[in-house]
Amino acid sequence: MMNFQGSHILSVSQLDREAIARILQVAGQMAPYALREKRCHVLDGAILNNLFFEPSTRTRVSFGAAFNLLGGFVRETVGEENSSLSKGESLFDTAQVISGYSDVIAMRHPKMHSVAEFAEGSTVPVINGGDGANEHPTQALLDLFTIQSEMAPYQKGLDNLHITLMGDLKHGRTVHSLSKLLSLYNNVKVTMISPNALQMPDNVISTLSNAGHEIVVTDKIEGNLACDVIYQTRIQQERFASKDEADLYRGHFSLNKEIYQQYCKEHTVIMHPLPRDSRPEANELDTDLNELDNLAIFRQAQNGVLVRMALFALTLGVDEKLTQYEKPVTWFTNKQARK
Ligand code: NCD
């Protein structure tokens, strides 16, 4: 079993099934705190530094909220222009300095493998919040948590799953990390729908095929949506040379209620790492899907808090101490699990 305490979380390739099961189990234990049924102050006094050198809403805010929910303090740097990286400081030097001010660091950066480079200079655990088009391990973990909980009513799980990944599979780091994790499970079928120019990278496909999984690569929606889970993605405009180039691929695989009812199974669950691009030219997931119980996107985003709380508890070695540090909630709250 992986020793989480003091470890960086940089890539999904560090994780095996046992480690993932432990993360998802601890994430489940965080639900009462996230739902404000109780408080937990096990990280009282600890400091998270959130370093986000690329746009982010969910990942950044949920890392921060997760740390706060365990009683810790959060400091944040947003945008390279607001950091000494813009003065020519190396990632190593920045890491040496910031880790001196922190107990743990979450970082997002536009360059592939930059977070690993940063971690080499850090004296505290570093969690990768997305490094360019490479990986997004915490997103993949919250995606697995979501698949597991959404499939439970149908007596299904991560084994024997049929998932359809759709959109910009070339640049989407979330689908890269998720696919690598799915290679650890048994008998998964992965349908990959994308424009030909935006197909899944070969190394990700071979990770899945080496695991013995069935893979379908196609540029057509018709006939390819009868699956357990559809995982829609956004055209990653920031990874293209220009907006005009990204525009060539926008709007090819918009999903709406009519297409869902025509091609999906009765219980197909819809996921998306978000943000969904709702501009008319993209409209990845039409708002008419909002009325479907199987639109899991906001539950998925909420699960990000639980999974990030679990990663903090594990890397800081307090996962066995949660219940010793509970307190009542003193303010009005009407939070409940999302349906
Ligand atoms: C994703 C990302 O940043 O890779 N967003 C997220 O973290 N939930 C997906 C995206 O931006 O399209």
Side-chain angles (χ1 to χ4, degrees), residues 256-305:
N256 60 24
K257 201 170 151 193
E258 193 187 331
I259 295 171
Y260 181 89
Q261 284 169 343
Q262 191 175 356
Y263 294 113
C264 292
K265 294 205 292 197
E266 192 187 343
H267 297 300
T268 300
V269 167
I270 305 168
M271 294 173 59
H272 189 308
L274 301 182
R276 60 173 155 177
D277 187 343
S278 293
R279 291 171 289 191
E281 62 273 26
N283 202 28
E284 291 151 5
L285 294 177
D286 195 283
T287 49
D288 70 1
L289 295 163
N290 288 8
E291 60 200 69
L292 300 183
D293 289 343
N294 282 335
L295 184 77
I297 56 176
F298 298 120
R299 294 190 289 273
Q300 184 183 357
Q302 195 63 38
N303 291 338
V305 174

Short mmCIF file of all heavy atoms in Angstrom, two decimals, residues 256-305:
data_model
loop_
_atom_site.label_atom_id
_atom_site.label_comp_id
_atom_site.label_asym_id
_atom_site.label_seq_id
_atom_site.Cartn_x
_atom_site.Cartn_y
_atom_site.Cartn_z
N ASN A 256 -27.72 17.09 -26.47
CA ASN A 256 -28.94 17.66 -25.89
C ASN A 256 -29.92 16.52 -25.59
O ASN A 256 -29.61 15.35 -25.81
CB ASN A 256 -29.56 18.72 -26.83
CG ASN A 256 -29.94 18.11 -28.17
OD1 ASN A 256 -30.17 16.90 -28.29
ND2 ASN A 256 -29.99 18.94 -29.20
N LYS A 257 -31.09 16.89 -25.07
CA LYS A 257 -32.04 15.87 -24.61
C LYS A 257 -32.51 14.97 -25.76
O LYS A 257 -32.64 13.76 -25.59
CB LYS A 257 -33.23 16.58 -23.96
CG LYS A 257 -33.99 15.70 -23.03
CD LYS A 257 -34.99 16.52 -22.25
CE LYS A 257 -36.18 15.70 -21.87
NZ LYS A 257 -37.28 16.52 -21.38
N GLU A 258 -32.72 15.58 -26.90
CA GLU A 258 -33.20 14.79 -28.04
C GLU A 258 -32.17 13.72 -28.43
O GLU A 258 -32.51 12.54 -28.62
CB GLU A 258 -33.46 15.73 -29.22
CG GLU A 258 -34.23 15.06 -30.33
CD GLU A 258 -34.33 15.97 -31.57
OE1 GLU A 258 -34.32 17.21 -31.41
OE2 GLU A 258 -34.40 15.41 -32.69
N ILE A 259 -30.91 14.12 -28.53
CA ILE A 259 -29.87 13.15 -28.90
C ILE A 259 -29.72 12.11 -27.79
O ILE A 259 -29.58 10.91 -28.05
CB ILE A 259 -28.52 13.88 -29.14
CG1 ILE A 259 -28.65 14.79 -30.36
CG2 ILE A 259 -27.37 12.89 -29.34
CD1 ILE A 259 -27.47 15.72 -30.58
N TYR A 260 -29.80 12.58 -26.53
CA TYR A 260 -29.71 11.65 -25.40
C TYR A 260 -30.81 10.59 -25.49
O TYR A 260 -30.54 9.40 -25.39
CB TYR A 260 -29.84 12.46 -24.08
CG TYR A 260 -29.74 11.60 -22.83
CD1 TYR A 260 -28.52 11.33 -22.23
CD2 TYR A 260 -30.90 11.07 -22.25
CE1 TYR A 260 -28.43 10.55 -21.10
CE2 TYR A 260 -30.82 10.28 -21.11
CZ TYR A 260 -29.59 10.02 -20.54
OH TYR A 260 -29.51 9.23 -19.41
N GLN A 261 -32.03 11.06 -25.73
CA GLN A 261 -33.14 10.09 -25.75
C GLN A 261 -33.06 9.16 -26.96
O GLN A 261 -33.47 8.01 -26.89
CB GLN A 261 -34.48 10.84 -25.71
CG GLN A 261 -34.72 11.34 -24.30
CD GLN A 261 -35.88 12.33 -24.18
OE1 GLN A 261 -36.32 12.89 -25.19
NE2 GLN A 261 -36.35 12.53 -22.96
N GLN A 262 -32.48 9.65 -28.04
CA GLN A 262 -32.38 8.84 -29.24
C GLN A 262 -31.29 7.76 -29.13
O GLN A 262 -31.48 6.63 -29.56
CB GLN A 262 -32.10 9.75 -30.44
CG GLN A 262 -32.23 9.03 -31.76
CD GLN A 262 -32.06 10.00 -32.93
OE1 GLN A 262 -31.91 11.22 -32.75
NE2 GLN A 262 -32.08 9.47 -34.13
N TYR A 263 -30.16 8.12 -28.55
CA TYR A 263 -28.99 7.23 -28.65
C TYR A 263 -28.51 6.61 -27.33
O TYR A 263 -27.72 5.68 -27.35
CB TYR A 263 -27.81 7.97 -29.28
CG TYR A 263 -28.05 8.36 -30.72
CD1 TYR A 263 -28.16 9.69 -31.09
CD2 TYR A 263 -28.15 7.38 -31.72
CE1 TYR A 263 -28.37 10.05 -32.42
CE2 TYR A 263 -28.37 7.72 -33.03
CZ TYR A 263 -28.47 9.05 -33.38
OH TYR A 263 -28.68 9.40 -34.69
N CYS A 264 -28.90 7.19 -26.19
CA CYS A 264 -28.34 6.68 -24.93
C CYS A 264 -29.18 5.54 -24.37
O CYS A 264 -30.28 5.28 -24.85
CB CYS A 264 -28.24 7.81 -23.91
SG CYS A 264 -27.01 9.01 -24.39
N LYS A 265 -28.65 4.89 -23.32
CA LYS A 265 -29.46 3.89 -22.62
C LYS A 265 -30.36 4.62 -21.64
O LYS A 265 -30.17 5.80 -21.36
CB LYS A 265 -28.54 2.93 -21.85
CG LYS A 265 -27.66 2.09 -22.76
CD LYS A 265 -27.24 0.78 -22.11
CE LYS A 265 -26.30 0.98 -20.95
NZ LYS A 265 -25.57 -0.26 -20.58
N GLU A 266 -31.29 3.90 -21.06
CA GLU A 266 -32.24 4.55 -20.15
C GLU A 266 -31.53 5.26 -19.00
O GLU A 266 -31.94 6.32 -18.54
CB GLU A 266 -33.23 3.50 -19.64
CG GLU A 266 -34.41 4.12 -18.94
CD GLU A 266 -35.29 3.06 -18.28
OE1 GLU A 266 -35.17 1.87 -18.64
OE2 GLU A 266 -36.08 3.45 -17.39
N HIS A 267 -30.45 4.63 -18.50
CA HIS A 267 -29.81 5.18 -17.30
C HIS A 267 -28.43 5.79 -17.57
O HIS A 267 -27.66 5.99 -16.63
CB HIS A 267 -29.68 4.09 -16.24
CG HIS A 267 -30.99 3.59 -15.76
ND1 HIS A 267 -31.92 4.41 -15.17
CD2 HIS A 267 -31.56 2.35 -15.82
CE1 HIS A 267 -33.00 3.71 -14.86
NE2 HIS A 267 -32.81 2.45 -15.25
N THR A 268 -28.09 6.06 -18.81
CA THR A 268 -26.76 6.61 -19.08
C THR A 268 -26.53 7.88 -18.25
O THR A 268 -27.34 8.81 -18.27
CB THR A 268 -26.59 6.94 -20.58
OG1 THR A 268 -26.77 5.73 -21.33
CG2 THR A 268 -25.22 7.53 -20.87
N VAL A 269 -25.42 7.88 -17.52
CA VAL A 269 -25.07 9.01 -16.66
C VAL A 269 -24.20 9.99 -17.46
O VAL A 269 -23.30 9.56 -18.18
CB VAL A 269 -24.32 8.50 -15.40
CG1 VAL A 269 -23.67 9.64 -14.64
CG2 VAL A 269 -25.27 7.71 -14.51
N ILE A 270 -24.49 11.27 -17.34
CA ILE A 270 -23.71 12.28 -18.07
C ILE A 270 -22.76 12.98 -17.12
O ILE A 270 -23.19 13.55 -16.09
CB ILE A 270 -24.63 13.34 -18.72
CG1 ILE A 270 -25.67 12.67 -19.62
CG2 ILE A 270 -23.81 14.36 -19.52
CD1 ILE A 270 -26.77 13.61 -20.07
N MET A 271 -21.48 12.96 -17.47
CA MET A 271 -20.47 13.66 -16.68
C MET A 271 -19.72 14.66 -17.57
O MET A 271 -19.76 14.58 -18.79
CB MET A 271 -19.48 12.66 -16.08
CG MET A 271 -20.11 11.74 -15.04
SD MET A 271 -19.02 10.40 -14.46
CE MET A 271 -17.64 11.29 -13.79
N HIS A 272 -19.05 15.59 -16.93
CA HIS A 272 -18.24 16.61 -17.63
C HIS A 272 -17.37 17.22 -16.52
O HIS A 272 -17.88 17.54 -15.46
CB HIS A 272 -19.17 17.66 -18.25
CG HIS A 272 -18.50 18.65 -19.18
ND1 HIS A 272 -17.38 19.38 -18.82
CD2 HIS A 272 -18.81 19.04 -20.44
CE1 HIS A 272 -17.03 20.16 -19.83
NE2 HIS A 272 -17.87 19.97 -20.83
N PRO A 273 -16.06 17.39 -16.76
CA PRO A 273 -15.24 17.96 -15.68
C PRO A 273 -15.62 19.41 -15.39
O PRO A 273 -15.29 19.92 -14.31
CB PRO A 273 -13.81 17.87 -16.23
CG PRO A 273 -13.95 17.79 -17.71
CD PRO A 273 -15.26 17.09 -17.97
N LEU A 274 -16.31 20.05 -16.32
CA LEU A 274 -16.69 21.46 -16.25
C LEU A 274 -15.44 22.33 -16.33
O LEU A 274 -14.37 21.88 -15.98
CB LEU A 274 -17.52 21.76 -15.00
CG LEU A 274 -18.83 20.96 -14.86
CD1 LEU A 274 -19.55 21.41 -13.59
CD2 LEU A 274 -19.73 21.15 -16.07
N PRO A 275 -15.51 23.54 -16.79
CA PRO A 275 -16.72 24.24 -17.21
C PRO A 275 -17.25 23.72 -18.55
O PRO A 275 -16.48 23.42 -19.44
CB PRO A 275 -16.22 25.69 -17.36
CG PRO A 275 -14.77 25.55 -17.71
CD PRO A 275 -14.29 24.36 -16.96
N ARG A 276 -18.60 23.62 -18.64
CA ARG A 276 -19.17 23.32 -19.96
C ARG A 276 -19.20 24.64 -20.73
O ARG A 276 -19.52 25.69 -20.15
CB ARG A 276 -20.55 22.68 -19.88
CG ARG A 276 -21.65 23.46 -19.19
CD ARG A 276 -23.03 22.77 -19.34
NE ARG A 276 -23.92 23.15 -18.24
CZ ARG A 276 -25.18 22.76 -18.13
NH1 ARG A 276 -25.74 21.97 -19.04
NH2 ARG A 276 -25.93 23.13 -17.10
N ASP A 277 -18.85 24.58 -21.98
CA ASP A 277 -18.90 25.77 -22.84
C ASP A 277 -20.32 25.88 -23.35
O ASP A 277 -20.74 25.11 -24.21
CB ASP A 277 -17.89 25.62 -23.99
CG ASP A 277 -17.76 26.89 -24.82
OD1 ASP A 277 -18.67 27.76 -24.73
OD2 ASP A 277 -16.78 27.01 -25.57
N SER A 278 -21.07 26.84 -22.80
CA SER A 278 -22.49 26.97 -23.13
C SER A 278 -22.75 27.99 -24.22
O SER A 278 -23.91 28.29 -24.52
CB SER A 278 -23.29 27.34 -21.88
OG SER A 278 -23.26 26.26 -20.97
N ARG A 279 -21.68 28.55 -24.81
CA ARG A 279 -21.90 29.48 -25.93
C ARG A 279 -22.55 28.71 -27.08
O ARG A 279 -22.24 27.52 -27.27
CB ARG A 279 -20.58 30.11 -26.37
CG ARG A 279 -20.04 31.07 -25.30
CD ARG A 279 -18.65 31.53 -25.63
NE ARG A 279 -17.67 30.47 -25.47
CZ ARG A 279 -16.35 30.66 -25.48
NH1 ARG A 279 -15.87 31.87 -25.64
NH2 ARG A 279 -15.52 29.64 -25.33
N PRO A 280 -23.45 29.36 -27.84
CA PRO A 280 -24.23 28.63 -28.87
C PRO A 280 -23.36 27.84 -29.83
O PRO A 280 -23.72 26.73 -30.24
CB PRO A 280 -24.98 29.74 -29.61
CG PRO A 280 -24.91 30.94 -28.77
CD PRO A 280 -23.78 30.80 -27.80
N GLU A 281 -22.18 28.37 -30.14
CA GLU A 281 -21.33 27.67 -31.13
C GLU A 281 -20.71 26.39 -30.55
O GLU A 281 -20.21 25.56 -31.32
CB GLU A 281 -20.26 28.61 -31.69
CG GLU A 281 -19.25 29.17 -30.70
CD GLU A 281 -19.69 30.46 -30.00
OE1 GLU A 281 -20.92 30.69 -29.86
OE2 GLU A 281 -18.81 31.23 -29.57
N ALA A 282 -20.74 26.24 -29.24
CA ALA A 282 -20.19 25.02 -28.63
C ALA A 282 -21.32 24.16 -28.05
O ALA A 282 -21.58 23.05 -28.49
CB ALA A 282 -19.20 25.38 -27.54
N ASN A 283 -22.01 24.71 -27.06
CA ASN A 283 -23.16 24.08 -26.41
C ASN A 283 -22.93 22.58 -26.17
O ASN A 283 -23.70 21.74 -26.64
CB ASN A 283 -24.43 24.31 -27.24
CG ASN A 283 -25.67 24.16 -26.39
OD1 ASN A 283 -25.62 24.40 -25.18
ND2 ASN A 283 -26.77 23.74 -26.99
N GLU A 284 -21.89 22.28 -25.41
CA GLU A 284 -21.49 20.88 -25.23
C GLU A 284 -22.55 20.03 -24.56
O GLU A 284 -22.78 18.89 -24.93
CB GLU A 284 -20.22 20.83 -24.37
CG GLU A 284 -19.03 21.38 -25.07
CD GLU A 284 -18.02 21.99 -24.12
OE1 GLU A 284 -18.19 21.90 -22.88
OE2 GLU A 284 -17.05 22.56 -24.63
N LEU A 285 -23.16 20.61 -23.52
CA LEU A 285 -24.26 19.93 -22.84
C LEU A 285 -25.38 20.94 -22.75
O LEU A 285 -25.32 21.87 -21.94
CB LEU A 285 -23.85 19.48 -21.43
CG LEU A 285 -22.76 18.41 -21.30
CD1 LEU A 285 -22.46 18.16 -19.82
CD2 LEU A 285 -23.18 17.10 -21.97
N ASP A 286 -26.40 20.75 -23.55
CA ASP A 286 -27.50 21.73 -23.59
C ASP A 286 -28.17 21.82 -22.21
O ASP A 286 -28.27 20.82 -21.49
CB ASP A 286 -28.51 21.26 -24.65
CG ASP A 286 -29.47 22.37 -25.02
OD1 ASP A 286 -30.41 22.65 -24.23
OD2 ASP A 286 -29.26 22.97 -26.07
N THR A 287 -28.66 23.01 -21.89
CA THR A 287 -29.33 23.17 -20.59
C THR A 287 -30.62 22.36 -20.51
O THR A 287 -31.13 22.14 -19.41
CB THR A 287 -29.63 24.65 -20.27
OG1 THR A 287 -30.26 25.23 -21.41
CG2 THR A 287 -28.37 25.42 -19.94
N ASP A 288 -31.15 21.86 -21.65
CA ASP A 288 -32.35 21.02 -21.55
C ASP A 288 -32.04 19.66 -20.90
O ASP A 288 -32.95 18.92 -20.52
CB ASP A 288 -33.10 20.88 -22.89
CG ASP A 288 -32.37 20.03 -23.93
OD1 ASP A 288 -31.27 19.52 -23.65
OD2 ASP A 288 -32.90 19.92 -25.07
N LEU A 289 -30.73 19.37 -20.73
CA LEU A 289 -30.36 18.14 -20.00
C LEU A 289 -30.47 18.34 -18.49
O LEU A 289 -30.46 17.36 -17.73
CB LEU A 289 -28.92 17.75 -20.35
CG LEU A 289 -28.66 17.34 -21.81
CD1 LEU A 289 -27.18 17.39 -22.13
CD2 LEU A 289 -29.22 15.95 -22.08
N ASN A 290 -30.58 19.60 -18.05
CA ASN A 290 -30.59 19.88 -16.60
C ASN A 290 -31.73 19.16 -15.88
O ASN A 290 -31.64 18.86 -14.70
CB ASN A 290 -30.72 21.38 -16.32
CG ASN A 290 -29.45 22.14 -16.66
OD1 ASN A 290 -28.53 21.57 -17.24
ND2 ASN A 290 -29.40 23.41 -16.33
N GLU A 291 -32.81 18.89 -16.62
CA GLU A 291 -33.96 18.24 -15.97
C GLU A 291 -33.77 16.72 -15.81
O GLU A 291 -34.58 16.07 -15.15
CB GLU A 291 -35.24 18.54 -16.75
CG GLU A 291 -35.21 18.05 -18.17
CD GLU A 291 -36.24 18.75 -19.07
OE1 GLU A 291 -36.09 19.95 -19.36
OE2 GLU A 291 -37.20 18.06 -19.45
N LEU A 292 -32.71 16.17 -16.39
CA LEU A 292 -32.49 14.72 -16.27
C LEU A 292 -31.78 14.39 -14.95
O LEU A 292 -30.74 14.98 -14.65
CB LEU A 292 -31.62 14.20 -17.42
CG LEU A 292 -32.13 14.37 -18.85
CD1 LEU A 292 -31.16 13.71 -19.83
CD2 LEU A 292 -33.51 13.76 -19.01
N ASP A 293 -32.30 13.41 -14.21
CA ASP A 293 -31.65 12.99 -12.97
C ASP A 293 -30.24 12.47 -13.25
O ASP A 293 -29.37 12.53 -12.38
CB ASP A 293 -32.44 11.86 -12.30
CG ASP A 293 -33.74 12.36 -11.72
OD1 ASP A 293 -33.87 13.60 -11.55
OD2 ASP A 293 -34.63 11.52 -11.46
N ASN A 294 -30.04 11.95 -14.45
CA ASN A 294 -28.73 11.36 -14.75
C ASN A 294 -27.69 12.36 -15.20
O ASN A 294 -26.58 11.98 -15.55
CB ASN A 294 -28.87 10.27 -15.82
CG ASN A 294 -29.41 8.99 -15.20
OD1 ASN A 294 -29.23 8.77 -14.00
ND2 ASN A 294 -30.07 8.18 -15.98
N LEU A 295 -28.02 13.64 -15.19
CA LEU A 295 -26.99 14.65 -15.42
C LEU A 295 -26.24 14.82 -14.10
O LEU A 295 -26.75 15.40 -13.13
CB LEU A 295 -27.60 15.99 -15.84
CG LEU A 295 -26.55 17.06 -16.17
CD1 LEU A 295 -25.93 16.80 -17.55
CD2 LEU A 295 -27.15 18.46 -16.14
N ALA A 296 -25.03 14.27 -14.04
CA ALA A 296 -24.31 14.18 -12.75
C ALA A 296 -23.30 15.31 -12.56
O ALA A 296 -22.57 15.33 -11.58
CB ALA A 296 -23.61 12.83 -12.64
N ILE A 297 -23.26 16.29 -13.46
CA ILE A 297 -22.13 17.24 -13.48
C ILE A 297 -21.97 18.05 -12.20
O ILE A 297 -20.84 18.33 -11.80
CB ILE A 297 -22.20 18.18 -14.71
CG1 ILE A 297 -23.52 18.93 -14.76
CG2 ILE A 297 -21.99 17.38 -16.00
CD1 ILE A 297 -23.60 19.96 -15.92
N PHE A 298 -23.07 18.41 -11.56
CA PHE A 298 -22.90 19.23 -10.35
C PHE A 298 -22.61 18.36 -9.13
O PHE A 298 -21.90 18.79 -8.22
CB PHE A 298 -24.12 20.15 -10.15
CG PHE A 298 -24.28 21.11 -11.31
CD1 PHE A 298 -25.43 21.11 -12.07
CD2 PHE A 298 -23.26 21.98 -11.66
CE1 PHE A 298 -25.57 21.97 -13.17
CE2 PHE A 298 -23.38 22.85 -12.75
CZ PHE A 298 -24.54 22.84 -13.51
N ARG A 299 -23.10 17.14 -9.13
CA ARG A 299 -22.69 16.20 -8.06
C ARG A 299 -21.20 15.90 -8.21
O ARG A 299 -20.46 15.83 -7.23
CB ARG A 299 -23.50 14.89 -8.17
CG ARG A 299 -24.97 15.07 -7.89
CD ARG A 299 -25.70 13.72 -7.77
NE ARG A 299 -25.84 12.99 -9.01
CZ ARG A 299 -26.84 13.14 -9.87
NH1 ARG A 299 -27.80 14.01 -9.63
NH2 ARG A 299 -26.91 12.42 -10.99
N GLN A 300 -20.77 15.74 -9.46
CA GLN A 300 -19.36 15.47 -9.76
C GLN A 300 -18.48 16.61 -9.21
O GLN A 300 -17.48 16.37 -8.52
CB GLN A 300 -19.23 15.37 -11.28
CG GLN A 300 -17.89 15.00 -11.84
CD GLN A 300 -17.93 15.01 -13.38
OE1 GLN A 300 -18.97 15.25 -14.00
NE2 GLN A 300 -16.79 14.77 -13.99
N ALA A 301 -18.86 17.85 -9.48
CA ALA A 301 -18.08 18.99 -8.99
C ALA A 301 -18.07 19.02 -7.47
O ALA A 301 -17.04 19.33 -6.85
CB ALA A 301 -18.65 20.30 -9.55
N GLN A 302 -19.18 18.67 -6.86
CA GLN A 302 -19.26 18.64 -5.39
C GLN A 302 -18.35 17.55 -4.83
O GLN A 302 -17.71 17.75 -3.80
CB GLN A 302 -20.74 18.40 -4.99
CG GLN A 302 -21.04 18.69 -3.56
CD GLN A 302 -20.85 20.15 -3.20
OE1 GLN A 302 -21.16 21.05 -3.98
NE2 GLN A 302 -20.28 20.39 -2.03
N ASN A 303 -18.28 16.43 -5.52
CA ASN A 303 -17.41 15.34 -5.06
C ASN A 303 -15.94 15.77 -5.03
O ASN A 303 -15.14 15.17 -4.31
CB ASN A 303 -17.57 14.12 -5.97
CG ASN A 303 -18.93 13.45 -5.81
OD1 ASN A 303 -19.58 13.62 -4.79
ND2 ASN A 303 -19.35 12.71 -6.82
N GLY A 304 -15.60 16.79 -5.80
CA GLY A 304 -14.22 17.29 -5.79
C GLY A 304 -13.80 17.74 -4.40
O GLY A 304 -12.63 17.58 -4.01
N VAL A 305 -14.72 18.29 -3.64
CA VAL A 305 -14.39 18.72 -2.27
C VAL A 305 -14.03 17.50 -1.42
O VAL A 305 -13.03 17.51 -0.70
CB VAL A 305 -15.57 19.51 -1.65
CG1 VAL A 305 -15.31 19.82 -0.19
CG2 VAL A 305 -15.83 20.78 -2.43
#
